[in-house]
Amino acid sequence: MKILLLGYMGSGKSSVGQRLAEVLHLPFYDLDQEIESKLGQSISEIFENKGEIYFRKTELQVLNDLLASKNSYVLALGGGTPCYGNSMQFLKERQDVKTIFLNTSLQELTERLFVERQKRPLIAHLETKELLNDFIRKHIFERNFYYNQANIKVKADESVAKIVSEIVLQLF
Ligand code: S3P
């Protein structure tokens, strides 16, 4: 079984994914990190040097490479991964994939992302919390269409431990 975590930037995909993988004794992968090591550049550098379209193509390629393996694992996707091409449809059709949506509130996302927005090319230019909150609200409205198609949905304002227990309960 491949367990894929999806949700907006800052929703906790990497920290929840790491802990979930430990609990389930599975390897953990982070799609952004896989892309960074394949290209030898940070996500910000890739956006800056090659642009978003190139990033999206690479993101899909790296995802397909990971899905080609027969192994079980936990994988944290990027916030945009299920929202481009027909990725969400394609993931839903795979018998060996379970998708989990970490549903974090707008307020919590704004708080978490404001302090670390410099690392994230899509929001690095937003200078106030109000601008960031407005951007996230509109962006989530578009993306929830995809996120809501996940097999399992969990509220994700809680602690990592609580979210992981909730996922484990729903998985088995
Ligand atoms: C993106 C989210 C980022 C990264 C890139 C684009 C997005 O991943 O893939 O900056 O479109 O939401 P995280 O969700 O892990 O921050």
Side-chain angles (χ1 to χ4, degrees):
M1 179 61 59
K2 299 171 183 17
I3 300 171
L4 272 49
L5 296 179
L6 49 102
Y8 202 70
M9 291 177 268
S11 59
K13 300 180 294 290
S14 303
S15 38
V16 170
Q18 249 159 31
R19 183 66 195 132
L20 181 65
E22 273 169 29
V23 169
L24 300 178
H25 303 289
L26 290 174
F28 171 72
Y29 300 102
D30 184 302
L31 193 62
D32 282 342
Q33 275 176 18
E34 296 296 314
I35 297 168
E36 289 181 333
S37 49
K38 182 179 163 119
L39 298 185
Q41 294 181 55
S42 70
I43 301 292
S44 300
E45 285 167 343
I46 301 166
F47 267 72
E48 205 176 304
N49 300 334
K50 307 266 193 170
E52 183 171 356
I53 293 174
Y54 178 86
F55 171 79
R56 297 297 171 197
K57 275 193 198 159
T58 312
E59 181 178 41
L60 190 58
Q61 242 169 41
V62 175
L63 174 62
N64 280 324
D65 290 349
L66 282 164
L67 291 174
S69 128
K70 288 202 165 43
N71 300 339
S72 292
Y73 53 73
V74 176
L75 169 66
L77 298 181
T81 319
C83 314
Y84 289 87
N86 64 347
S87 300
M88 197 60 211
Q89 189 56 37
F90 162 76
L91 291 174
K92 275 165 52 179
E93 285 165 7
R94 288 190 61 127
Q95 302 292 313
D96 60 342
V97 165
K98 276 258 187 273
T99 49
I100 301 175
F101 169 29
L102 299 189
N103 190 359
T104 310
S105 69
L106 172 63
Q107 203 44 47
E108 184 69 25
L109 291 173
T110 307
E111 294 301 328
R112 290 186 195 171
L113 289 172
F114 190 68
V115 284
E116 45 174 76
R117 66 194 188 290
Q118 296 311 334
K119 286 186 283 178
R120 308 190 194 244
L122 294 177
I123 55 171
H125 62 289
L126 299 167
E127 276 168 13
T128 65
K129 257 191 200 173
E130 289 66 34
L131 285 171
L132 178 64
N133 184 276
D134 214 40
F135 178 93
I136 299 173
R137 181 177 338 99
K138 291 175 188 154
H139 210 192
I140 282 182
F141 181 75
E142 294 161 14
R143 288 187 166 185
N144 274 346
F145 170 76
Y146 301 95
Y147 297 154
N148 274 318
Q149 297 177 48
N151 299 117
I152 293 174
K153 296 164 211 174
V154 290
K155 292 248 178 265
D157 283 1
E158 318 284 342
S159 67
V160 169
K162 261 195 160 171
I163 300 167
V164 168
S165 327
E166 178 62 27
I167 294 174
V168 170
L169 266 179
Q170 292 208 42
L171 269 175
F172 303 107

